[in-house]
Amino acid sequence: QSALTQPPSASGSPGQSVTISCTGTSSDVGGYNHVSWYQQHPGKAPKLMIYAVTKRPSGVPDRFSGSKSGNTASLTVSGLQAEDEADYYCNSFAGNNNWVFGGGTKLTVL
Amino acid sequence: QVELQQSGPGLVKPSQTLSLTCAISGDSVSSNSGAWNWIRQSPSRGLEWLGRTYYRSKWYNDYAVSVKSRITINSDTSKNQFSLQLNSVTPEDTAVYYCASGVLATGYTTWGQGTLVTVSS
């Protein structure tokens, strides 16, 4: 059982927006601004999409954005494209030099 | 541009030691601003951070509580690489193991290609 809770699936049509949630506690998501999001295509390593809650690494499209409210972080993908279909995982610092992941959300582009 | 290349066996017998190596190019294992992590992924446990090593005038290691009694992460500055050793493995340790670079402020920025390690006799 993962420490952070994500919905198992999400979907949207091309061009639409979809938001994926990541719920933790005040000891992880709610306590630190160190939430990151990863995209994983089948058979590939995860790829960093968002770090420090809202920041995008160089090369990541601005269609991807992150936010946080209380103990829940969110990843929004706007203007959905076929290549966005993948698994998405959140990760948070949990204090005491420990990091925790979410269980993952499978995003389907209809 | 940092690249990580993993190596090591894909099959380990129960009770033995799992050993993997991650070679770094484009950065130094002894960088004062980097950190070098091991993460694994399995259907039953999902993604799980295992530990990290980093250099800040001296070497530090942090390990996940779940594996703390069995794990060692070392660095080899002469080869610019770092390694994972996990002792007393069981079938529960069967997973894809990844090395990854990244610190608290940046997330895991670069990942190795992954190594499927199966624990079986």
Side-chain angles (χ1 to χ4, degrees):
Chain A
Q1 187 174 353
S2 300
L4 305 179
T5 300
Q6 297 181 234
S9 63
S11 63
S13 299
Q16 288 186 333
S17 293
V18 64
T19 297
I20 299 170
S21 62
C22 170
T23 301
T25 69
S26 57
S27 297
D28 39 62
V29 174
Y32 307 94
N33 287 323
H34 294 299
V35 176
S36 51
W37 288 90
Y38 301 85
Q39 177 192 66
Q40 186 178 35
H41 288 109
K44 300 294 187 181
K47 174 188 175 184
L48 178 65
M49 304 301 284
I50 296 288
Y51 68 98
V53 180
T54 62
K55 298 180 180 179
R56 263 189 325 274
S58 174
V60 172
D62 60 7
R63 302 184 293 103
F64 291 84
S65 61
S67 63
K68 190 183 85 167
S69 177
N71 297 335
T72 297
S74 298
L75 172 72
T76 297
V77 186
S78 306
L80 271 175
Q81 299 183 4
E83 60 262 34
D84 299 333
E85 184 161 297
D87 294 328
Y88 291 84
Y89 295 89
C90 60
N91 175 260
S92 174
F93 181 61
N96 294 320
N97 293 317
N98 188 38
W99 281 259
V100 291
F101 282 94
T105 298
K106 182 176 181 59
L107 175 60
T108 300
V109 180
L110 301 171
Chain B
Q1 180 181 345
V2 179
E3 293 185 359
L4 303 175
Q5 181 68 38
Q6 299 177 217
S7 59
L11 180 64
V12 181
K13 289 182 167 50
S15 80
Q16 295 194 342
T17 297
L18 180 161
S19 296
L20 296 173
T21 298
C22 184
I24 303 164
S25 58
D27 201 348
S28 170
V29 70
S30 54
S31 160
N32 265 295
S33 59
W36 311 97
N37 302 265
W38 286 100
I39 295 164
R40 67 182 178 183
Q41 184 175 28
S42 66
S44 59
R45 302 172 74 96
L47 282 165
E48 181 182 15
W49 175 81
L50 298 176
R52 65 173 182 167
T53 189
Y54 58 101
Y55 184 78
R56 299 291 185 271
S57 301
K58 69 174 187 176
W59 289 100
Y60 294 87
N61 291 298
D62 297 312
Y63 299 130
V65 170
S66 60
V67 294
K68 193 167 187 174
S69 63
R70 301 191 291 132
I71 189 173
T72 303
I73 297 176
N74 287 318
S75 61
D76 184 338
T77 57
S78 66
K79 296 181 179 179
N80 202 32
Q81 63 187 30
F82 63 109
S83 62
L84 167 70
Q85 286 192 307
L86 189 64
N87 302 325
S88 304
V89 297
T90 72
E92 283 270 303
D93 295 309
T94 294
V96 177
Y97 286 75
Y98 293 100
C99 58
S101 64
V103 295
L104 181 62
T106 64
Y108 306 114
T109 52
T110 302
W111 296 64
Q113 79 274 25
T115 301
L116 173 60
V117 179
T118 301
V119 179
S120 174
S121 54

